[in-house]
């Protein structure tokens, strides 16, 4: 039964605990995946998961620095733990992730209470680093390093959907973006290692995998064997064909796609391969060619539109989501309007937006044509209103459809409901029928009639026995 399988304790190791740990994860899916691997390491070392952040013996913040607001949020969290450390000196304070990498030693000068500062490339080395802390050192691990193959058993938050890193780092140079400087050079994992991880997930009853990379279309280009025409010998498309036969896995997703490299072959593969879901997250960032050039994105608005057109030719109901930035340095009102126009034309299922935020060591931060805060606010509010309207309209296409929903758990805000997602990644809530004659559990795919469509989520009724 569902309730029991959800409440069932995961196979935690039973050796006596050497203390409790707490991890707060900021930022993107990449960081979430890293946190799960670090949690796995901590549990292997004998730490047990704390129920309260302020009672834990080890607190790890896996940080993000994509915008200034993300950075400030980390500092405010850290402040509270620093206070606690003064009363409870045994507390181990670990700052991992992108802000840790960006600040390095200088974070230690700012917050001398921290025991360990570690960049994203050192995630798989947590045990060693903590060993050095236990010997009485304050440790900063931010040097560029080759990421060792992942041998840790991640402590995953979901028991149904698993993240699988396929490429670390990013070699792009988008002029606004801090990621290449904090995540380092691209490093693809070998296809066999990826497939083995997926086979293990399937053995543990996982039903869905999401392949992760900051620029997932770059997968393979650092692997040995470049073709005569300069293209990489092994691509994301090849990988999709290679992993598709893993028995037990029913859904395959991937993120994040880059319009510069998104290929027709990839679209064809997504169409041909049953398990690959019809959802594409392809950030466009701006709807104006001049701004795209200044952002150093390497594509035009027309090229972007062509990609979406090609996807819709084969998969008319595919869901298309994206990221966009407003108020990039120098963005005129007309250029900003071009972004709104593109959103209207494409009809996105969802767009994640942000006002441009200057980041350390990025070219655009040094330009003297920054847009005033008031303008940023106005544009962000307006674009979000438009997206809300469009995504709500677009979600109406689900109404009265029968969708296959993969059950992931209870709705945390209303436990009389269970939740899952459509293949197109729409979150869907279902009432648990009163006379519960359905014998279903986590990881089942149920046929659901969609009865309500909002901008972020759907509601529906289970219709199969
Ligand atoms: N690799 C992905 C995006 C990673 S960062 C890509 O190439 O699209 C996630 C999103 O944060 C970006 O898509 C962008 O919209 C936003 N972002 C990145 N840097 C930013 C900055 N300096 N200010 C505002 N938003 C930013
Ligand atoms: Fe940043 Fe561009 Fe790399 Fe995406 S592709 S992570 S936006 S540098
Ligand atoms: Fe943030 Fe690093 Fe991800 S800066 S968005 S956590 S790659």
């Amino acid at each position: 039964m569902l309730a029991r399988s959800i409440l069932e304790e995961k196979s935690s190791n039973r050796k006596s605990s050497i203390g409790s740990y707490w991890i707060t994860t900021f930022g993107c899916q990449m960081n979430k995946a890293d946190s799960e691997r670090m949690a796995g390491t901590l549990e292997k070392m004998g730490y047990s998961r704390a129920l309260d952040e302020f009672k834990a013996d080890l607190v790890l913040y896996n940080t993000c620095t994509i915008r200034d607001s993300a950075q400030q949020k980390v500092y405010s969290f850290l402040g509270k733990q620093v206070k606690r450390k003064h009363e409870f000196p045994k507390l181990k304070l670990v700052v991992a992730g992108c802000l840790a990498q960006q600040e390095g030693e200088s974070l230690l000068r700012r917050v001398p209470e921290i025991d360990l500062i570690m960049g994203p490339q050192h995630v798989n080395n947590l045990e060693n680093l903590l060993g050095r802390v236990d010997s009485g050192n304050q440790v900063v691990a931010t040097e560029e390093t080759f990421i060792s193959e992942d041998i840790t058993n991640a402590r995953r938050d979901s028991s149904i959907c698993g993240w699988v890193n396929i490429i670390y780092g990013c070699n792009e140079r988008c002029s606004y973006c801090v990621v290449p400087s904090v995540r380092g050079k691209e490093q693809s994992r070998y296809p066999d290692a990826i497939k083995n991880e997926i086979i293990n997930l399937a053995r543990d009853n996982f039903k869905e995998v999401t392949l992760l990379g900051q620029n997932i279309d770059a997968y393979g280009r650092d692997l040995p064997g470049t073709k005569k025409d300069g293209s990489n010998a092994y691509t994301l498309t090849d990988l999709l064909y290679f992993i598709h036969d893993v028995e037990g896995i029913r859904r395959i997703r991937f993120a994040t796609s880059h319009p510069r490299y998104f290929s027709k072959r990839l679209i064809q593969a997504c169409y041909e391969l049953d398990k690959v879901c019809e959802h594409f997250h392809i950030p466009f960032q701006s709807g104006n060619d001049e701004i795209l050039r200044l952002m150093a994105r390497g594509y035009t608005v027309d090229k972007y539109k062509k990609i979406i057109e090609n996807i819709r030719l084969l998969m008319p109901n595919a869901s298309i989501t994206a990221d966009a930035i407003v108020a990039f340095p120098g963005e005129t009102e007309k250029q900003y309007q071009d972004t709104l126009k593109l959103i209207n034309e494409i009809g996105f299922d969802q767009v994640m937006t942000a006002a441009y935020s200057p980041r350390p060591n990025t070219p655009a931060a040094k330009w003297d044509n920054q847009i005033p805060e008031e303008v940023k606010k106005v544009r962000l509010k307006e674009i979000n209103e438009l997206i809300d309207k469009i995504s709500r309209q677009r979600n109406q296409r689900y109404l009265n459809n029968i969708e296959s929903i993969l059950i992931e758990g209870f709705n945390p805000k209303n436990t009389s409901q269970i939740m899952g997602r459509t293949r197109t990644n729409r979150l869907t809530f279902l009432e648990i029928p009163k006379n519960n004659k359905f014998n279903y559990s986590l990881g089942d795919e149920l046929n659901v009639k969609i009865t309500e469509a909002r901008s972020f989520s759907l509601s529906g009724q289970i219709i199969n026995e």
Side-chain angles (χ1 to χ4, degrees):
M1 285 299 292
L2 179 76
R4 206 179 56 231
S5 51
I6 287 182
L7 294 174
E8 224 160 29
E9 268 278 288
K10 284 205 197 155
S11 57
S12 62
N13 61 39
R14 297 269 168 230
K15 74 176 161 185
S16 63
S17 170
I18 59 169
S20 61
Y21 76 93
W22 178 273
I23 298 182
T24 299
T25 308
F26 304 84
C28 65
Q29 293 162 336
M30 213 76 61
N31 255 18
K32 288 187 186 130
D34 288 349
S35 287
E36 291 184 349
R37 293 210 303 289
M38 290 192 283
T41 303
L42 290 170
E43 295 196 4
K44 192 186 107 211
M45 290 173 70
Y47 282 95
S48 56
R49 188 173 272 210
L51 295 174
D52 180 343
E53 173 175 4
F54 292 95
K55 295 208 172 107
D57 301 304
L58 182 152
V59 171
L60 187 155
Y61 289 144
N62 196 11
T63 62
C64 172
T65 180
I66 199 75
R67 287 176 281 276
D68 186 57
S69 54
Q71 171 163 356
Q72 298 314 325
K73 198 165 161 193
V74 174
Y75 288 137
S76 86
F77 271 63
L78 257 178
K80 292 184 202 149
Q81 291 296 346
V82 163
K83 235 171 143 189
R84 191 159 82 90
K85 178 132 184 165
H86 290 160
E87 293 149 25
F88 177 54
K90 273 199 184 146
L91 167 66
K92 269 179 224 153
L93 213 43
V94 181
V95 182
C98 297
L99 180 63
Q101 182 67 35
Q102 178 186 294
E103 297 297 310
E105 286 270 355
S106 66
L107 185 55
L108 207 54
R109 283 197 292 277
R110 181 177 172 153
V111 189
E113 291 82 357
I114 299 173
D115 296 288
L116 167 60
I117 293 175
M118 54 186 283
Q121 297 187 345
H122 295 263
V123 161
N124 294 353
N125 202 22
L126 177 63
E127 183 166 6
N128 262 327
L129 297 171
L130 280 175
R132 281 161 58 194
V133 169
D134 287 337
S135 319
N137 300 300
Q138 250 180 331
V139 181
V140 179
T142 50
E143 68 282 5
E144 180 98 6
T145 176
F146 185 79
I147 302 172
S148 52
E149 184 43 58
D150 177 19
I151 39 154
T152 25
N153 243 331
R155 203 308 189 175
R156 300 187 189 254
D157 287 337
S158 163
S159 54
I160 306 300
C161 310
W163 312 112
V164 177
N165 283 93
I166 66 164
I167 175 168
Y168 304 105
C170 178
N171 287 7
E172 297 301 302
R173 285 290 172 271
C174 303
S175 57
Y176 51 83
C177 183
V178 76
V179 170
S181 76
V182 290
R183 289 248 162 202
K185 284 200 207 70
E186 283 166 6
Q187 187 189 317
S188 300
R189 287 176 71 200
Y190 281 99
D192 283 328
I194 295 168
K195 190 164 187 174
N196 281 339
E197 182 171 348
I198 298 175
I199 290 170
N200 285 333
L201 283 169
R203 256 186 222 136
D204 288 344
N205 259 324
F206 280 75
K207 303 295 177 209
E208 178 178 304
V209 291
T210 302
L211 311 180
L212 290 182
Q214 272 303 349
N215 170 7
I216 201 143
D217 301 276
Y219 177 73
R221 64 183 178 187
D222 58 314
L223 291 176
T226 306
K227 285 185 194 157
K228 281 203 188 94
D229 64 0
S231 62
N232 33 333
Y234 203 88
T235 63
L236 172 63
T237 308
D238 299 318
L239 184 71
L240 288 175
Y241 281 105
F242 179 59
I243 61 168
H244 195 257
D245 63 357
V246 175
E247 228 174 282
I249 296 298
R250 291 212 291 264
R251 292 181 172 188
I252 299 172
R253 304 181 186 280
F254 55 87
T256 300
S257 304
H258 196 308
R260 184 175 192 170
Y261 305 102
F262 201 96
S263 72
K264 263 190 159 168
R265 226 186 123 227
L266 177 62
I267 299 175
Q268 183 67 32
C270 297
Y271 174 62
E272 279 174 17
L273 296 170
D274 291 346
K275 294 179 184 176
V276 178
C277 293
E278 302 74 29
H279 170 221
F280 300 88
H281 184 68
I282 319 178
F284 59 89
Q285 311 301 2
S286 165
N288 176 273
D289 282 344
E290 177 58 12
I291 295 290
L292 285 176
R293 191 182 67 76
L294 292 166
M295 287 177 163
R297 289 288 287 177
Y299 55 86
T300 59
V301 176
D302 268 352
K303 160 131 197 227
Y304 186 85
K305 285 192 203 163
K306 194 84 204 146
I307 293 171
I308 307 301
E309 204 181 297
N310 285 333
I311 292 174
R312 287 180 170 163
L313 225 51
L314 290 181
M315 294 164 273
N317 283 321
S319 122
I320 313 285
T321 61
D323 301 344
I325 297 175
V326 295
F328 183 76
E331 185 188 67
T332 62
E333 180 61 27
K334 154 87 183 52
Q335 289 170 327
Y336 157 69
Q337 290 294 335
D338 285 345
T339 297
L340 301 185
K341 195 167 144 232
L342 182 65
I343 292 174
N344 268 312
E345 276 178 36
I346 301 276
F348 286 96
D349 290 81
Q350 196 48 253
V351 184
M352 306 306 291
T353 55
Y356 168 76
S357 166
R359 305 312 296 132
N361 311 315
T362 59
K366 298 181 197 88
W367 300 346
D368 57 12
N369 51 355
Q370 305 290 327
I371 305 287
E373 282 307 315
E374 314 83 76
V375 179
K376 284 185 179 173
K377 265 198 202 133
V378 173
R379 290 186 185 172
L380 192 58
K381 183 164 177 284
E382 188 185 35
I383 196 172
N384 284 341
E385 282 166 5
L386 173 67
I387 291 160
D388 198 57
K389 189 182 102 199
I390 288 190
S391 54
R392 185 170 309 133
Q393 273 168 8
R394 196 153 154 76
N395 277 345
Q396 302 308 310
R397 78 185 189 285
Y398 291 105
L399 274 183
N400 298 319
N401 277 10
I402 310 292
E403 294 285 331
S404 168
I405 307 293
L406 179 70
I407 302 301
E408 293 173 29
F410 286 113
N411 175 358
K413 290 189 187 140
N414 175 358
T415 45
S416 73
Q417 293 182 338
I418 48 178
M419 62 177 198
R421 276 171 301 148
T422 61
R423 282 176 60 97
T424 53
N425 213 29
R426 282 297 89 185
L427 195 58
T428 307
F429 299 108
L430 317 168
E431 286 297 332
I432 302 173
K434 288 256 163 14
N435 56 344
N436 191 351
K437 58 180 176 161
F438 301 110
N439 194 12
Y440 48 80
S441 35
L442 276 184
D444 284 351
E445 269 178 306
L446 303 178
N447 286 331
V448 168
K449 183 170 179 179
I450 304 301
T451 53
E452 212 180 308
R454 295 166 296 269
S455 56
F456 265 102
S457 59
L458 310 170
S459 297
Q461 283 163 0
I462 305 166
I463 58 163
N464 59 345
E465 280 282 299

